[in-house]
Amino acid sequence: QVQLVESGGGLVQAGGSLRLSCAASGRTFSSYAMAWFRQAPGKEREFVAAIGGLGRSTDYADSVKGRFTISRDNAKYSVALQMNSLKPDDTAVYYCAAGSWSGRQNPELSAYWGQGTQVTVSS
C-alpha cells in the first residue's frame, strides 16, 4: 500500500511559479508510475503529468507542456511538479496519484491518491 501527501499549493499571480511536492510511504514506491491530476470546480478530474517508476519516462497534458516539469526521487520517496508561467486556467485542486504507466492518464486506473492541494492563479 502507498500513502501520498501533497504540499506546496497556494495563491500566485499569473506568470508566477509554484512547486508541488508529494511525499510517499511504502516500500514499493519505485514500482509505481506517479502522476499529477487536477480538478477545477464543476469540471472532471484531468491528467496533468506522469513519470515512470525509474524516472526515465515522462508524459504531459498538452495544456502544460513546456511549462510544467515532473520529477521523482525514489531514494526520498517523493514526486514533484514544478509549475512555471502559471495561468488562471491552472487554478484547481492538484492530486498526486500512484498507478501503472499504461493507465497513467486515466484517473479511474490510479490505485492510490493523496488528499489534494489547492493552487489558485490570479489574473
Side-chain angles (χ1 to χ4, degrees):
Q1 189 169 355
V2 177
Q3 293 183 328
L4 305 171
V5 179
E6 302 95 335
S7 61
L11 173 64
V12 64
Q13 289 187 335
S17 298
L18 278 176
R19 184 176 178 86
L20 304 183
S21 296
C22 175
S25 64
R27 296 181 179 179
T28 58
F29 176 69
S30 63
S31 67
Y32 289 97
M34 298 299 297
W36 288 94
F37 292 83
R38 67 187 181 186
Q39 189 166 19
K43 295 187 178 181
E44 294 185 350
R45 193 167 296 190
E46 66 174 1
F47 169 76
V48 175
I51 188 166
L54 299 180
R56 296 171 183 168
S57 300
T58 58
D59 188 22
Y60 297 92
D62 288 343
S63 59
V64 307
K65 279 181 181 177
R67 299 189 298 122
F68 291 11
T69 302
I70 189 171
S71 61
R72 69 187 295 161
D73 186 337
N74 286 345
K76 296 183 178 180
Y77 289 75
S78 65
V79 180
L81 185 68
Q82 178 65 42
M83 306 186 295
N84 298 329
S85 303
L86 283 162
K87 305 174 182 179
D89 284 349
D90 295 319
T91 295
V93 177
Y94 282 71
Y95 297 90
C96 176
S100 67
W101 180 250
S102 61
R104 62 193 180 276
Q105 294 192 2
N106 188 340
E108 295 184 2
L109 299 181
S110 292
Y112 303 102
W113 291 89
Q115 82 289 350
T117 185
Q118 175 71 47
V119 171
T120 303
V121 184
S122 63
S123 57

